[in-house]
Amino acid sequence: GENVEQHPSTLSVQEGDSAVIKCTYSDSASNYFPWYKQELGKRPQLIIDIRSNVGEKKDQRIAVTLNKTAKHFSLHITETQPEDSAVYFCAASMGSNDYKLSFGAGTTVTVRA
Amino acid sequence: DGGITQSPKYLFRKEGQNVTLSCEQNLNHDAMYWYRQDPGQGLRLIYYSQIVNDFQKGDIAEGYSVSREKKESFPLTVTSAQKNPTAFYLCASSTVGDEQYFGPGTRLTVT
């Protein structure tokens, strides 16, 4: 099955700086890559996703890049704010061919004021 | 909050007892999922269902059972065979190949 690895496990950044989280996946058939944000005690919520037919997607301060050849994708958060502090999970699936998501272990991001 | 609910929010049980966690969605999603979340381990898939009356094992199905008699409902039973059942359980639903929406979760404590 799909194996998703996520790094780093913890990340501390100064407010206003950028944060980058990287994930690798094992199954070349995977074609859907969502990122979820989970605040303490709450449910995970989708913040951005990308499909394999594009290399980059941006939504305000958040961007995701995908390198299909190397089988890795990354989340970039610019101009970090205290409300960006949370656990972030990457995931991968084969989209319409397979509903299952395989999740990375998560990155705890702390934004220092 | 996305139309997917879980109950109860907190659940306490004695070791050796079976317990059933509820998950309901009104999003008309075909697919539903159960995940277990432990500190530092991300979300691990227990069971998933793509259509009514059909479901598949995920990565950690041992000690759990599910049913999918209605499109809206996907209850999870944690049996006494589950060796370490204390965890945060999340239910999710989705349409084909699209975003998974999560419920608020049930925190189960077994002593």
Side-chain angles (χ1 to χ4, degrees):
Chain A
E2 176 65 276
N3 181 45
V4 178
E5 295 191 355
Q6 182 172 348
H7 300 280
S9 57
T10 61
L11 181 59
S12 179
V13 297
Q14 189 69 36
E15 182 177 357
D17 287 350
S18 295
V20 180
I21 304 169
K22 299 182 179 181
C23 290
T24 61
Y25 60 98
S26 60
D27 194 332
S28 58
S30 290
N31 59 14
Y32 175 60
F33 307 93
W35 286 87
Y36 285 84
K37 175 183 180 181
Q38 186 178 28
E39 296 177 3
L40 190 63
K42 296 192 175 180
R43 72 185 82 191
Q45 292 193 302
L46 182 78
I47 54 171
I48 196 168
D49 57 10
I50 191 168
R51 298 186 188 272
S52 60
N53 57 346
V54 298
E56 184 172 0
K57 185 176 179 180
K58 190 173 181 180
D59 182 4
Q60 299 182 1
R61 296 186 296 107
I62 294 172
V64 57
T65 59
L66 172 64
N67 183 327
K68 287 169 51 182
T69 302
K71 292 191 281 188
H72 68 71
F73 56 112
S74 300
L75 178 71
H76 304 253
I77 307 173
T78 58
E79 301 172 19
T80 53
Q81 301 168 4
E83 54 263 38
D84 294 329
S85 295
V87 180
Y88 293 81
F89 294 97
C90 63
S93 87
M94 289 184 277
S96 58
N97 296 322
D98 189 330
Y99 292 36
K100 294 186 300 179
L101 282 177
S102 296
F103 282 86
T107 297
T108 301
V109 174
T110 303
V111 180
R112 307 187 307 273
Chain B
D1 277 333
I4 180 166
T5 59
Q6 291 183 242
S7 61
K9 187 173 182 179
Y10 297 97
L11 192 53
F12 298 89
R13 280 294 182 270
K14 295 291 187 183
E15 208 172 292
Q17 293 179 334
N18 290 357
V19 59
T20 297
L21 283 59
S22 168
C23 178
E24 304 277 334
Q25 54 97 3
N26 62 2
L27 301 168
N28 199 33
H29 287 166
D30 290 314
M32 297 187 74
Y33 316 80
W34 275 105
Y35 294 92
R36 170 181 172 139
Q37 187 172 29
D38 296 284
Q41 293 194 43
L43 285 74
R44 293 184 290 167
L45 183 64
I46 305 172
Y47 270 98
Y48 65 106
S49 168
Q50 298 182 7
I51 56 172
V52 175
N53 293 323
D54 188 40
F55 48 83
Q56 287 78 40
K57 293 182 179 180
D59 300 320
I60 56 165
E62 185 176 350
Y64 300 97
S65 65
V66 294
S67 63
R68 186 86 187 277
E69 297 177 0
K70 299 186 300 181
K71 188 175 185 178
E72 301 79 18
S73 179
F74 191 41
L76 173 75
T77 297
V78 183
T79 75
S80 56
Q82 168 51 233
K83 295 179 182 178
N84 187 19
T86 295
F88 187 50
Y89 291 88
L90 285 159
C91 178
S93 69
S94 76
T95 55
V96 176
D98 208 347
E99 174 186 357
Q100 288 190 18
Y101 291 85
F102 284 86
T106 293
R107 191 166 297 279
L108 173 65
T109 302
V110 177
T111 57

